[in-house]
Amino acid sequence: MTLTVLNPATEEPIAELEQAGVEEADAAVSRAKEAYPAWRAVAPADRARLLRRLAVLVEEHGEELAGIESRNVGKPISGARGEVGMVSQVFHFYAGAIDKHYGDTIPVAGGVAATFREPLGVVGLIVPWNFPLNIASWKLGPALACGNTVVLKPAELTPLSATRLADLVLEAGIPEGVVNVLVGKGSVVGQRLVEHPDVAKIGFTGSTEVGRLVMQGAAGTIKRVTLELGGKSANVVFSDADLEKAAASAPYAVFDNAGQDCCARSRILVERSAYDRFLGLLVEATKGVKVGDPADESTEMGPLISAAHREQVASFVEDDPLYRGDVPAGAGFWYPCTLVEATNDDRIAREEVFGPVAAVIPFEDEADAIRIANDTPYGLSGSIWTRDGARALRVSRALETGVLSINANTSVRVQTPFGGFKQSGFGRELGMQALDGYSEVKSVFVATEG
Ligand code: NAD
């Protein structure tokens, strides 16, 4: 069956691809299994050289890859360039990390004990449509560095950058069969990877709902899983913060990638004593977000990914929000920047909207801020804005979330671990920690006495 891929900004088809079924999924796993012994035997320094070549090829093809991502996801081209830049950085980082991820020697009675890091085998990497190439690289980098072979399954809506990356992988000299890209339905080929007896681990990023299915499916073969799931992060603004700076940044923490961001700080919590002033500044800043053609260099927000997703996002917003922006006329799955005053019990504050919609919620004091921020099943990201350093640290320790920024709204860096608390998942990507998720620790004892 063929898959028609659309440009969400024009609703026009941009590619037709053959979709894999269970048989092709099995064949991809077989290829990866066959390639595994030789790949695992490649000396770490040689694996590093190959990953570095891939990093350079991604850089050299940066404009092409950013263009693919922008057309396929509807991302502003400037943002897509930044994402592709990070992909290259990720491969450079794990090339450099390969020979620095080693075991220990441990003092024990009767001999010497040592630990070794061993690859897992074939790993299945399942990624979503919001940051297709970026998130694929977060998994590919550490998986390949550790000596695993992979089957990468991009989301049905956005397979184009992964298939292009597969060409660059071969061009870099990484042997055939080490990286296999499988384009097909999650419920068919994704599920097959999850249940396949020859797949040792699933690195999954996607919704909490599908994350649950992955965990269930993996139980049959006791597969390892890393789950990077949904979020409903809080942007906590205390009245002693630099309110201008916090308000200028807050819209981009929700409306970047049209709100289709697991780290979106879609609950903006504001201390009551600064609430009215902050709200005024926030509305002004939101008016400044440039929505339009993703190919335009100055565009800051593009359309949503699909018509069905737009319908889902719209279902969260009642008729009279605090603020609703404009969108271009004509084709495209546009949805305006929207601000809604809410309480933390409202549906808009409890569920992941995954669109450009922010819930603004007042709080009374520090304890109330912590209570509201933690009153969610999710725990992925968040921010704290205050000029009080002790408070910043106190509150950051109290928040149940995997990634936090103080006086900033950023979440992701190549060097730092990224992942969730609670129903936002478990396991960590990026940084040295990601290598732990793509390797096993083996203890070996050597008897030296008697
Ligand atoms: P999704 O869960 O619908 O799909 C994710 C991937 O899983 C896709 O490749 C899909 O084909 C596949 N899939 C679907 N059903 C499957 C099944 N039964 N078995 C195996 N695989 C299956 O998510 P989405 O709509 O593509 O992405 C949006 C979601 O991803 C949001 O909830 C967002 O928060 C989350 N996300 C999380 C992170 C993070 O790092 N925590 C990052 C980006 C996105």
Side-chain angles (χ1 to χ4, degrees):
M1 216 175 52
T2 53
L3 174 71
T4 304
V5 180
L6 300 183
N7 177 338
T10 62
E11 305 182 32
E12 282 165 2
I14 49 173
E16 301 258 327
L17 275 79
E18 270 313 302
Q19 280 200 88
V22 169
E23 229 171 86
E24 287 83 4
D26 287 352
V29 173
S30 296
R31 280 196 301 277
K33 190 178 174 187
E34 213 169 294
Y36 173 61
W39 179 244
R40 126 174 229 174
V42 172
D46 292 330
R47 248 186 272 140
R49 224 185 326 270
L50 294 170
L51 264 190
R52 254 183 224 113
R53 258 194 233 150
L54 178 58
V56 170
L57 280 172
V58 169
E59 253 160 53
E60 288 172 1
H61 292 265
E63 206 48 36
E64 178 200 350
L65 291 166
I68 292 173
E69 208 76 323
S70 173
R71 282 189 299 282
N72 195 172
V73 189
K75 281 177 192 293
I77 186 68
S78 57
R81 274 194 202 110
E83 286 171 32
V84 173
M86 186 185 188
V87 172
S88 173
Q89 274 183 44
V90 168
F91 292 139
H92 274 301
F93 179 87
Y94 287 107
I98 288 178
D99 52 5
K100 295 162 198 74
H101 186 239
Y102 34 66
D104 301 306
T105 51
I106 303 161
V108 293
V112 175
T115 58
F116 294 86
R117 297 276 178 175
E118 305 288 7
L120 302 170
V122 177
V123 299
L125 309 180
I126 302 179
V127 299
W129 46 258
N130 58 342
F131 297 99
L133 198 59
N134 220 312
I135 290 176
S137 75
W138 301 0
K139 301 179 192 311
L140 276 169
L144 295 176
C146 288
N148 303 285
T149 54
V150 313
V151 179
L152 168 65
K153 197 209 90 59
E156 297 89 309
L157 293 167
T158 57
L160 301 182
S161 52
T163 54
R164 184 68 186 107
L165 184 72
D167 301 334
L168 299 182
V169 164
L170 292 179
E171 206 178 319
I174 294 173
E176 294 241 11
V178 172
V179 176
N180 304 273
V181 174
L182 196 59
V183 175
K185 280 202 168 63
S187 55
V188 180
V189 294
Q191 194 172 330
R192 179 61 186 150
L193 290 179
V194 170
E195 291 171 358
H196 200 297
D198 291 335
V199 174
K201 177 200 168 122
I202 295 289
F204 175 83
T205 299
S207 58
T208 296
E209 194 187 349
V210 176
R212 258 181 219 113
L213 295 177
V214 169
M215 224 170 149
Q216 279 163 11
T221 48
I222 316 290
K223 246 180 214 59
R224 283 86 185 107
V225 288
T226 298
L227 300 176
E228 298 285 359
L229 309 176
K232 193 73 205 176
S233 298
N235 186 359
V236 182
V237 182
F238 287 99
S239 55
D240 67 355
D242 180 338
L243 294 182
E244 277 78 13
K245 198 171 164 200
S249 174
Y252 298 95
V254 190
F255 306 135
D256 248 3
N257 215 39
Q260 303 164 125
D261 183 343
C262 53
C263 293
R265 281 119 168 113
S266 54
R267 291 184 300 147
I268 304 177
L269 275 47
V270 187
E271 191 162 7
R272 177 87 65 191
S273 53
Y275 187 76
D276 289 341
R277 172 137 182 267
F278 184 84
L279 219 52
L281 292 168
L282 178 65
V283 169
E284 276 318 298
T286 303
K287 283 181 186 162
V289 177
K290 278 203 73 182
V291 183
D293 179 5
D296 186 323
E297 294 290 338
S298 64
T299 293
E300 294 174 321
M301 189 178 108
L304 293 172
I305 189 71
S306 67
H309 187 54
R310 178 169 60 186
E311 225 171 275
Q312 164 75 5
V313 169
S315 77
F316 282 91
V317 183
E318 312 218 321
D319 285 343
D320 196 18
L322 169 69
Y323 174 79
R324 179 181 272 139
D326 297 322
V327 292
F333 306 124
W334 303 98
Y335 195 84
C337 294
T338 307
L339 300 171
V340 178
E341 287 188 274
T343 75
N344 204 50
D345 295 328
D346 296 339
R347 178 175 171 236
I348 204 167
R350 303 216 67 82
E351 295 178 27
E352 185 180 42
V353 178
F354 225 54
V357 181
V360 193
I361 303 167
F363 66 84
E364 304 305 331
D365 54 22
E366 187 178 307
D368 198 34
I370 293 167
R371 181 190 63 77
I372 296 173
N374 286 341
D375 179 18
T376 168
Y378 296 109
L380 187 55
S381 187
S383 293
I384 301 161
W385 292 80
T386 176
R387 286 191 172 99
D388 178 339
R391 164 182 274 171
L393 278 178
R394 200 165 52 233
V395 176
S396 65
R397 295 300 305 273
L399 295 189
E400 297 159 351
T401 185
V403 185
L404 265 175
S405 287
I406 295 165
N407 297 331
N409 282 319
T410 52
S411 300
V412 169
R413 284 176 186 77
V414 177
Q415 302 83 355
T416 56
F418 173 80
F421 281 26
K422 303 198 282 188
Q423 293 187 29
S424 288
F426 54 83
R428 290 294 177 269
E429 303 206 290
L430 299 172
M432 293 301 280
Q433 282 80 355
L435 296 166
D436 297 342
Y438 287 95
S439 58
E440 296 275 21
V441 176
K442 182 186 284 172
S443 285
V444 177
F445 170 73
V446 186
T448 56
E449 288 166 26

